[in-house]
Amino acid sequence: GLTGIETREIAVERSYDSFDEFWDITVNGTALRESVNKLSADDLPGLKQRVRTRLAIDSAGRVLATAKANAIKGRVSDSTS
């Protein structure tokens, strides 16, 4: 089993000057590039619009993106004791 289990939530924020900056960085990053490149030219504008509607964009057009992750650590118990 595990002992000394600890958990915590890691929250991060990143701001972008515009939606276009957010989009360019996001879709050209290694995590999404392959999937986005598989989309047809007809599907891409719809995806872009759906993403835009889900983001917090202020009156100046800046985007604030937030994310959370859960971190867990523990130690493997010594099974001989």
Side-chain angles (χ1 to χ4, degrees):
L2 296 176
T3 61
I5 297 173
E6 298 176 30
T7 63
R8 72 179 179 125
E9 182 179 85
I10 301 168
V12 295
E13 291 183 347
R14 181 163 179 193
S15 60
Y16 302 86
D17 289 335
S18 66
F19 175 79
D20 289 332
E21 178 188 32
F22 167 84
W23 182 256
D24 289 342
I25 290 171
T26 303
V27 300
N28 290 312
T30 56
L32 295 177
R33 184 182 313 131
E34 184 177 337
S35 296
V36 171
N37 287 341
K38 289 179 182 178
L39 293 174
S40 72
D42 293 336
D43 289 337
L44 195 55
L47 173 63
K48 191 173 181 178
Q49 184 56 38
R50 286 190 304 276
V51 171
R52 183 189 306 265
T53 62
R54 292 189 170 122
L55 292 172
I57 302 175
D58 70 13
S59 60
R62 292 181 301 259
V63 175
L64 178 62
T66 60
K68 293 181 181 179
N70 294 309
I72 304 170
K73 73 175 183 177
R75 289 172 208 74
V76 176
S77 300
D78 183 2
S79 61
T80 60
S81 32

